[in-house]
Amino acid sequence: MLVINLVYVGFQLTKSLAPEPPSLRLPVSQAAAGGERLRLLADSPQPQSVPAASVPGGSLCPVIGPWENREQAEAGAVQLKAIGLPGRVRGLSVQKDRLNWVYLPPYEDRERALRVLRELQDHGVDSFVVKEGEDANAISLGYFSSAESAEGLRLKMQNAGYPAFVRETARDVTEYWVYLSNSKPEDNADLKVFLEGNQSLGIDKVSCY
């Protein structure tokens, strides 16, 4: 019994003299020190993607026409308004009668142009000398609606030794149309009667401006 007590006393003395293990000290967080708390990226609100601004597409307006002059168009606008289709008259510049012109460029004087003209006519080439304008003294060889036909004649003349060229020509004219306020004029029953009485007119849609 004495031996057991001595062993127990020795064990207690050893325990009290053993040094305590050092405690680990974590660095004080910025939040504890009054700073801003660190957050994970997943916790942070992500900037929302801003959709690209949509570009409005060009709108189309219904029009009635064409008239050859403004007076006729204004009279037509009055008739259209009477059947419930008010609108405004506007002039549009358009090109008509597009053709491909085959020609020999202007010569230095009219005498030279006439000599070449006689040569061509002696060979059966239908042609004439342009009398005035920026193409004065040029020789016209013909107008063609087909670009291929014009190019064929140009090559034929070049092979014969004549420097022929092709130019697209057109006639600039002003047409007058009534731009309607009603977006669906087709629903108007009287419009059909109006167009039947004016065979040269029609309904179309053009870019609003």
Side-chain angles (χ1 to χ4, degrees):
M1 186 69 178
L2 180 60
V3 175
I4 294 175
N5 289 334
L6 290 175
V7 172
Y8 175 77
V9 172
F11 173 76
Q12 292 296 329
L13 290 174
T14 303
K15 181 178 179 182
S16 62
L17 295 176
E20 294 184 1
S23 60
L24 296 177
R25 296 180 60 84
L26 296 176
V28 180
S29 66
Q30 290 183 349
E36 182 181 358
R37 184 175 66 88
L38 296 178
R39 292 181 295 179
L40 295 176
L41 183 61
D43 295 334
S44 303
Q46 299 300 309
Q48 297 181 354
S49 59
V50 179
S54 58
V55 179
S59 56
L60 297 178
C61 289
V63 294
I64 302 291
W67 283 270
E68 293 182 355
N69 57 65
R70 180 173 290 275
E71 290 74 18
Q72 294 176 348
E74 294 288 356
V78 172
Q79 294 177 323
L80 289 169
K81 184 177 181 180
I83 62 174
L85 295 174
R88 293 180 297 173
V89 175
R90 291 179 178 175
L92 294 178
S93 179
V94 297
Q95 289 187 331
K96 286 190 171 183
D97 303 331
R98 287 183 175 273
L99 295 172
N100 298 278
W101 181 36
V102 184
Y103 67 99
L104 302 181
Y107 289 90
E108 61 274 10
D109 54 53
R110 186 168 180 79
E111 291 184 3
R112 174 60 177 158
L114 290 174
R115 285 200 300 269
V116 175
L117 177 65
R118 285 192 291 268
E119 292 178 7
L120 295 172
Q121 292 178 342
D122 289 343
H123 289 85
V125 178
D126 188 13
S127 53
F128 65 88
V129 174
V130 179
K131 295 182 179 180
E132 57 187 13
E134 62 179 6
D135 294 311
N137 297 328
I139 297 180
S140 176
L141 301 174
Y143 290 85
F144 300 86
S145 58
S146 168
E148 293 181 357
S149 298
E151 181 63 15
L153 178 58
R154 185 190 71 82
L155 291 175
K156 180 179 179 180
M157 297 304 297
Q158 282 197 340
N159 291 336
Y162 296 95
F165 293 86
V166 176
R167 182 197 304 171
E168 187 181 69
T169 64
R171 183 168 56 94
D172 293 328
V173 298
T174 300
E175 295 180 342
Y176 295 91
W177 295 75
V178 176
Y179 282 64
L180 301 177
S181 302
N182 190 329
S183 61
K184 294 183 178 180
E186 300 87 353
D187 297 338
N188 189 307
D190 293 327
L191 177 60
K192 182 178 180 181
V193 178
F194 174 82
L195 293 177
E196 288 177 350
N198 298 271
Q199 296 292 328
S200 62
L201 305 179
I203 183 171
D204 203 347
K205 288 190 175 183
V206 299
S207 177
C208 301
Y209 68 94

